[in-house]
Amino acid sequence: MSFATERTASSKDSRKWLSGSEILLRALLDEGVDCVFGYPGGAVLYIYDAMHDNPDFHHLLARHEQGAIHAADGYARSTGRTGVVLATSGPGAANLVTGIATAYMDSVPLVVITGNVSSDLIGTDSFQEVDIVGISQPITKHSFFVRRATDLARIVREAFYIAGTGRKGPVLIDIPKDVSAEKAIYERPERVHIPGYSEALEASRVPDEGKLDELISAIHQSERPLLLAGAGVIHAEASEELRAFIDRTGIPVTTTLLGLGAVPADHDLWLGMPGMHGTYAANQALIQCDLLISVGARFDDRVTMRLDSFAPLARIAHVDIDAAEIGKLVPTSIPIQGDACETLGLLNRRLPRECQRKTLWIDYLRSLKLGYRLSYKPSENELKPQYVIEMLSRTTDGGAIVTTDVGQHQMWTAQYYRFRRPRSLITSGGLGTMGFGFPSAIGAQLGNPERIVISVNGDGGMQMCAQELAICAIHNIPVKIVVINNRTLGMIRQWQELIYEGRYSHIDLSGSPDFVKLAEAYGVKGLRASSPKEAEQVWQEALETPGPVLIDFVVSQDELVYPMVPQGQGLQDIRLGPDIGGEANE
């Protein structure tokens, strides 16, 4: 990629000599950055020194670099704006790697700024030196190594442009210590034009009209059409166009894990989530449809399961901003490269106001949705994790932002929380990162101070970033932190029970801390419940508490996530469990 951003203008009062650190802060403010998540160290001391005299610049001191980048990620996913994280060289930069990969897998726009040793020490194995550009190259959209302070303003501008356009993703800026101290004149480019990238970006947004006509013809011919909507719909702010398309065509829809919220959960044509822990109706729809229209979904293996049995009867149309995703895994009859919002908008304007609905197909799927709805065995005395998630959904009317970690609680949240709005489920889908749930909620709350933010965690993942309780307490960030505490690594235990014949190996989390006391030690209110009645009481108390609260919900180890399609099997091999529907075979 060759960069040649045009230097077109700078205000007269900006033409004074500034340090590289001052230029960096000013460039971030000019990008509209209202909070940077970070952790200082020797290689970024000039940058942190510049913050001391800059009251306009807001920085949140995390307790670990991984917490900082997950917070920036949660901020970005929940607001649609680019998140920013700052760390020092060596271990500080290396601690960001999991967070960079998490954002890359889910196409989240981040600008990741790392310090490095001085330019004359690069490549000498000096103290706290690491080649973060080389390490992160496979998991970033682009990386910059800054050689001169005079380049910083342009590089920051280009980094935000790249991170937030096309298929979004993380961009890294690595700044040697001497560059952060070097003096230069601040010149912010008014426009960004990156030869090759900008032209390709423009060309990829608008779909080919002939392909749209082909898709419309396929819709008219289809007897059993189905829509699969993924995170690309949310990234493109295309939820309204998607709902208009569904209402206009009457095509049933299933949404991936990262697409939840793109269609309100109470929509009559929404079938739920597909795949490994998807609903029976959604998976049967994928098996039996004759036209599958995928919008902004990349056919993740947790959705398709065995590829050779995925949508076996369907002609497949795939809409995606990234041409590399089309046809990568699933043979595609109608490839459409385009922005999801642009493409759905054009389709809505070309389709008749109300298409002929496939009544038999819709009625059939409705019968599956009703007959095989998600269910579990309730108890008056024992607290079920599914009950906790239903309670969170009921008491917030499906309107909260919910972040999760990874595991059983993540799947129960996807199944039982009735999301009504896009950008409301914040979860690590592609990388499946434990330790993501709690710090991402901090970023989501800072980006959305008017909304209720709930962080749902397992007792395993909660211990991976629990130290960030400190910043909730210090800044009174009112996240409601839920721990679904079953004293085990629940999803691993479930696989060992169902697939490895009950040979439980290294999943016992005995010796974990008392989470209520842990919260209180950081200055956060802690509550506990182990029955449905207690759960209702303490959750109401948590909602009425203006600051952060941790609630330890003690649940049974024996609850399993159903439905489940075991890895390596097809969607038709779904196991419904003891409490859902009747016979699995139709």
Side-chain angles (χ1 to χ4, degrees):
M1 193 180 291
S2 173
F3 298 116
T5 295
E6 187 178 352
R7 295 179 189 279
T8 55
S10 63
S11 59
K12 290 182 180 178
D13 64 353
S14 71
R15 296 190 64 82
K16 61 180 182 181
W17 291 92
L18 301 174
S19 71
S21 298
E22 292 169 321
I23 290 173
L24 174 67
L25 302 193
R26 185 160 180 173
L28 292 173
L29 289 171
D30 282 347
E31 291 296 333
V33 174
D34 53 19
C35 184
V36 169
F37 304 87
Y39 201 97
V44 288
L45 280 179
Y46 286 118
I47 299 172
Y48 276 84
D49 185 62
M51 292 181 199
H52 192 268
D53 295 325
N54 193 333
D56 296 329
F57 191 83
H58 298 290
H59 173 276
L60 191 75
L61 175 63
R63 293 299 182 269
H64 191 288
E65 289 88 353
Q66 187 172 351
I69 193 167
H70 291 332
D73 188 315
Y75 174 93
R77 293 186 200 231
S78 63
T79 64
R81 302 193 290 271
T82 298
V84 184
V85 61
L86 170 64
T88 190
S89 63
N95 282 338
L96 297 177
V97 170
T98 299
I100 297 173
T102 302
Y104 183 77
M105 289 288 281
D106 292 345
S107 305
V108 177
L110 292 185
V111 169
V112 180
I113 302 166
T114 52
N116 212 328
V117 299
S118 292
S119 300
D120 59 330
L121 295 175
I122 294 288
T124 65
D125 297 332
S126 61
F127 178 67
Q128 291 194 333
E129 182 195 2
V130 73
D131 177 13
I132 190 61
V133 171
I135 290 172
S136 63
Q137 201 164 30
I139 51 172
T140 52
K141 200 172 170 189
H142 189 71
S143 295
F144 293 93
F145 180 77
V146 186
R147 298 182 183 280
R148 303 178 306 169
T150 191
D151 295 333
L152 256 172
R154 171 184 59 80
I155 286 175
V156 170
R157 192 96 166 93
E158 290 176 348
F160 274 81
Y161 180 70
I162 295 169
T165 54
R167 181 174 182 172
K168 299 171 184 176
V171 175
L172 184 134
I173 305 174
D174 194 31
I175 308 173
K177 188 170 184 177
D178 57 310
V179 174
S180 68
E182 185 185 5
K183 295 283 187 179
I185 291 176
Y186 178 75
E187 290 184 294
R188 182 175 188 264
E190 279 194 350
R191 293 189 305 114
V192 177
H193 178 71
I194 303 172
Y197 180 80
S198 297
E199 287 81 0
L201 186 68
E202 191 60 33
S204 68
R205 281 186 55 80
V206 182
D208 180 88
E209 292 191 6
K211 293 297 180 186
L212 295 184
D213 290 338
E214 195 176 340
L215 175 56
I216 290 170
S217 175
I219 291 171
H220 290 314
Q221 294 170 14
S222 169
E223 294 297 323
R224 301 185 305 280
L226 179 68
L227 187 59
L228 172 66
V233 171
I234 293 175
H235 289 317
E237 308 291 356
S239 298
E240 285 189 20
E241 292 289 4
L242 177 69
R243 290 196 292 274
F245 181 78
I246 295 166
D247 294 340
R248 190 172 287 253
T249 60
I251 297 179
V253 58
T254 176
T255 46
T256 67
L257 175 67
L258 295 183
L260 290 173
V263 180
D266 58 359
H267 196 290
D268 184 45
L269 292 172
W270 183 65
L271 302 173
M273 183 177 72
M276 178 176 278
H277 294 293
T279 65
Y280 185 67
N283 284 342
Q284 281 296 315
L286 284 168
I287 292 169
Q288 298 183 40
C289 67
D290 65 0
L291 173 65
L292 177 61
I293 307 167
S294 171
V295 182
R298 61 181 176 86
F299 296 114
D300 178 84
D301 60 282
R302 287 294 194 266
V303 170
T304 63
M305 304 310 295
R306 266 185 57 173
L307 271 174
D308 59 3
S309 62
F310 177 72
L313 307 175
R315 187 180 183 194
I316 292 178
H318 191 175
V319 178
D320 205 291
I321 190 72
D322 186 354
E325 289 295 343
I326 300 174
K328 183 177 81 174
L329 297 170
V330 175
T332 303
S333 299
I334 309 174
I336 302 176
Q337 185 186 8
D339 173 82
C341 192
E342 188 84 27
T343 303
L344 289 168
L346 286 171
L347 285 169
N348 286 333
R349 289 191 284 280
R350 286 164 177 251
L351 284 161
R353 185 159 297 279
E354 190 165 341
C355 300
Q356 184 178 4
R357 299 197 168 218
K358 317 300 179 184
T359 307
L360 287 177
W361 173 238
I362 293 171
D363 289 345
Y364 170 66
L365 294 178
R366 279 181 180 146
S367 71
L368 296 184
K369 185 176 171 181
L370 182 64
Y372 294 87
R373 63 184 179 276
L374 296 168
S375 183
Y376 62 96
K377 198 178 298 299
S379 169
E380 289 187 3
N381 300 315
E382 187 179 49
L383 185 58
K384 298 293 182 79
Q386 302 95 323
Y387 180 89
V388 173
I389 304 302
E390 281 188 326
M391 178 185 70
L392 303 182
S393 182
R394 167 170 43 85
T395 54
T396 57
D397 196 26
I401 294 175
V402 183
T403 75
T404 80
D405 224 74
V406 172
Q408 286 181 312
H409 70 276
Q410 179 191 35
M411 292 298 104
W412 284 318
T413 300
Q415 291 176 335
Y416 288 95
Y417 195 94
R418 306 280 290 172
F419 292 98
R420 293 179 176 277
R421 298 165 59 178
R423 300 195 182 281
S424 293
L425 174 61
I426 310 298
T427 191
S428 172
L431 198 65
T433 303
M434 287 182 69
F436 174 85
F438 173 43
S440 64
I442 294 171
Q445 185 73 81
L446 290 176
N448 301 270
E450 78 291 352
R451 292 184 67 182
I452 296 173
V453 176
I454 305 170
S455 172
V456 181
N457 307 271
D459 47 326
M462 186 64 208
Q463 295 182 69
M464 291 191 174
C465 277
Q467 73 281 351
E468 307 304 340
L469 283 164
I471 58 177
C472 277
I474 291 169
H475 300 286
N476 197 32
I477 299 170
V479 174
K480 309 309 176 193
I481 308 152
V482 168
V483 180
I484 303 294
N485 185 356
N486 59 5
R487 302 160 303 285
T488 187
L489 293 172
M491 189 59 88
I492 303 300
R493 187 179 189 276
Q494 174 165 337
W495 281 44
Q496 290 177 346
E497 177 174 330
L498 296 179
I499 301 169
Y500 295 88
E501 301 174 342
R503 291 157 55 85
Y504 302 123
S505 179
H506 298 276
I507 42 82
D508 186 357
L509 291 181
S510 297
S512 296
D514 180 322
F515 288 103
V516 172
K517 290 183 178 177
L518 180 67
E520 291 172 347
Y522 278 105
V524 171
K525 185 174 186 175
L527 301 168
R528 176 175 290 119
S530 56
S531 71
K533 183 178 179 181
E534 289 177 354
E536 297 282 349
Q537 290 171 345
V538 300
W539 177 242
Q540 192 58 40
E541 184 177 347
L543 286 176
E544 292 171 356
T545 300
V549 184
L550 183 148
I551 312 99
D552 182 21
F553 290 109
V554 181
V555 301
S556 166
Q557 289 189 349
D558 297 326
E559 285 298 306
L560 303 182
V561 181
Y562 282 115
M564 177 179 178
V565 180
Q567 193 170 29
Q569 299 187 28
L571 294 175
Q572 70 279 6
D573 302 311
I574 190 169
R575 300 183 188 182
L576 292 173
D579 303 312
I580 299 177
E583 296 298 323
N585 298 323
E586 283 293 300

